[in-house]
Amino acid sequence: MNRIDRLTAILVQLQGKKIVKAQEIADRYNLSLRTVYRDVKALMEAGVPIGSEAGTGYYIVDGYHLPPVMFNRTEAAALLTGEKLMEKHSDRSNHQQFSNAMQKIRAVLRGSDKDFLESLDDNIAVLRSPRVSTEDEFPNRFLSDIQDGVARQRVLSMEYYSYHSDSVSRREIEPIGIFHMHSSWHLIGFCRLRNDYRDFRADRIKNLHLTDQQFDKSKRMSLQQYIAQEFRAEHEQPVLIKMRFSYDIARHLREQKYYYGVVQEKNEENYVEMHFMYQHPDYFARWLLMMGNGATVLEPESLKETVRKQIKMLSEHYSC
């Protein structure tokens, strides 16, 4: 990146937040702090009203705006890919807003770049794994309101369907964040009904209302703290698992083996040997049960014992 492009990029970054630390700029563009100080000084000498607070960072004085930003074709193509992902992995509210934003982006592109984007549009696709649709019962259109509640610390009032009890309950939630996992969006918040933090699947929210009630964000944990607490097992040391699969089974594993952490694969005369690094032996054992005698655990011995226990439990269950 030449210096002119870098100065423009730094200016855009400064406009994107109230306060930007020098270290943030340095990390983003792989610069030394000395270079950051020199670049910011150059912007100030060029007439950009940049203020600074010792120990805090830089900020743009209210009222100053950079003229409309032009996107190059690679940036526009990346955003087009993002739109395709949003279409399949977001709800109706967010998808519509993203589409509106893309229309504005297309409007400022040069003619040749518009043609470039148009030629890509029909040649990028994102497919979702088929699952049972609950769209008729659950409209799945509340992500925008949830984001509003998170950003403005406003309580959400909602009707939530529980598959476990097959019932709908009314909840008041202090939202702390959302995350996407296993093809679903999850709302994380402090549930006033249960007096504890809860994970709510967005596609099980039957109705939602953004209230005028404020809550004190400082009294609640952050989304990062919640994830670290709930998924700390993800940071445990993974276990080396050695497996032997029949060719018939191995042929159908495809993406599944990567989900379970395959690190090595070797074809032998009558079988395929695979090595995995995985943190959850219990989950791994349940996965193996689907394969019957087409899968053989070589090691560790503890996994063999886990499989035996699960087979015994199933046998006792169906012998009743």
Side-chain angles (χ1 to χ4, degrees):
M1 182 182 288
N2 62 48
R3 193 172 188 224
I4 295 297
D5 289 340
R6 190 173 73 237
L7 291 175
T8 302
I10 290 172
L11 184 49
V12 170
Q13 186 178 2
L14 289 170
Q15 287 195 132
K17 293 176 66 177
K18 284 187 177 180
I19 299 287
V20 179
K21 296 179 180 178
Q23 190 62 55
E24 289 181 56
I25 299 173
D27 292 342
R28 185 178 181 88
Y29 303 109
N30 195 26
L31 305 172
S32 67
L33 285 174
R34 185 176 178 180
T35 301
V36 172
Y37 300 146
R38 189 167 62 244
D39 285 350
V40 171
K41 183 180 178 182
L43 288 170
M44 294 171 69
E45 290 174 349
V48 179
I50 299 175
S52 62
E53 295 181 8
T56 304
Y58 297 110
Y59 61 90
I60 297 285
V61 175
D62 286 343
Y64 179 84
H65 294 284
L66 185 70
V69 175
M70 293 295 292
F71 293 91
N72 62 40
R73 64 173 54 186
T74 53
E75 291 168 337
L79 288 167
L80 176 63
T81 305
E83 182 183 22
K84 300 289 184 179
L85 287 166
M86 288 289 287
E87 183 179 353
K88 298 298 182 183
H89 296 287
S90 188
D91 74 349
R92 300 174 192 172
S93 62
N94 264 11
H95 174 230
Q96 184 59 52
Q97 297 304 322
F98 202 94
S99 293
N100 293 342
M102 279 300 298
Q103 289 301 317
K104 295 176 182 178
I105 290 169
R106 286 183 172 95
V108 299
L109 292 176
R110 293 169 297 194
S112 60
D113 291 340
K114 287 180 183 177
D115 293 340
F116 176 80
L117 213 59
E118 228 174 277
S119 68
L120 274 181
D121 204 351
D122 292 331
N123 296 291
I124 298 177
V126 176
L127 305 180
R128 293 189 67 174
S129 300
R131 8 182 250 183
V132 177
S133 175
T134 56
E135 193 165 321
D136 292 338
E137 187 175 1
F138 305 106
N140 199 22
R141 60 168 182 263
F142 302 116
L143 275 184
S144 291
D145 285 338
I146 292 171
Q147 289 170 325
D148 199 352
V150 171
R152 299 165 62 190
Q153 293 90 58
R154 290 173 62 181
V155 175
L156 303 173
S157 175
M158 70 180 188
E159 293 177 355
Y160 187 74
Y161 175 75
S162 170
Y163 278 114
H164 177 70
S165 61
D166 190 26
S167 62
V168 175
S169 60
R170 179 168 288 280
R171 310 288 186 98
E172 285 196 342
I173 307 298
E174 299 176 13
I176 63 170
I178 57 174
F179 68 85
H180 188 270
M181 184 174 71
H182 302 324
S183 300
S184 296
W185 284 98
H186 296 251
L187 160 64
I188 306 301
F190 184 83
C191 177
R192 292 181 171 181
L193 178 66
R194 305 301 183 198
N195 198 35
D196 199 2
Y197 294 92
R198 288 291 187 270
D199 177 342
F200 301 97
R201 278 262 302 265
D203 57 359
R204 294 182 188 172
I205 298 174
K206 190 171 184 180
N207 221 327
L208 184 140
H209 172 64
L210 184 64
T211 74
D212 293 326
Q213 297 180 58
Q214 299 284 137
F215 66 91
D216 189 350
K217 183 180 178 181
S218 66
K219 294 181 179 179
R220 301 295 173 222
M221 69 170 68
S222 68
L223 178 64
Q224 289 73 26
Q225 289 171 327
Y226 176 88
I227 291 174
Q229 174 180 295
E230 294 299 313
F231 299 96
R232 57 181 176 269
E234 296 294 331
H235 302 290
E236 294 175 359
Q237 189 68 25
V239 176
L240 173 62
I241 298 171
K242 295 183 180 181
M243 294 293 308
R244 181 178 293 171
F245 298 101
S246 68
Y247 271 103
D248 185 51
I249 292 293
R251 187 170 64 250
H252 291 92
L253 294 183
R254 298 182 182 176
E255 292 86 0
Q256 292 182 53
K257 61 187 178 186
Y258 298 107
Y259 177 80
Y260 284 93
V262 66
V263 293
Q264 185 177 327
E265 183 172 346
K266 183 170 62 172
N267 293 335
E268 299 291 353
E269 187 176 350
N270 298 314
Y271 60 85
V272 179
E273 183 172 321
M274 296 186 194
H275 295 180
F276 299 81
M277 296 295 292
Y278 197 67
Q279 295 103 325
H280 311 291
D282 285 351
Y283 293 158
F284 199 93
R286 291 174 192 155
W287 180 52
L288 295 180
L289 290 181
M290 298 187 297
M291 305 172 201
N293 60 6
T296 303
V297 178
L298 301 178
E299 59 179 77
E301 194 64 36
S302 59
L303 180 59
K304 295 181 184 179
E305 184 59 31
T306 301
V307 174
R308 292 188 195 105
K309 287 180 180 178
Q310 292 188 3
I311 292 172
K312 183 180 179 182
M313 288 173 59
L314 283 172
S315 177
E316 290 174 350
H317 175 72
Y318 284 106
S319 63
C320 298

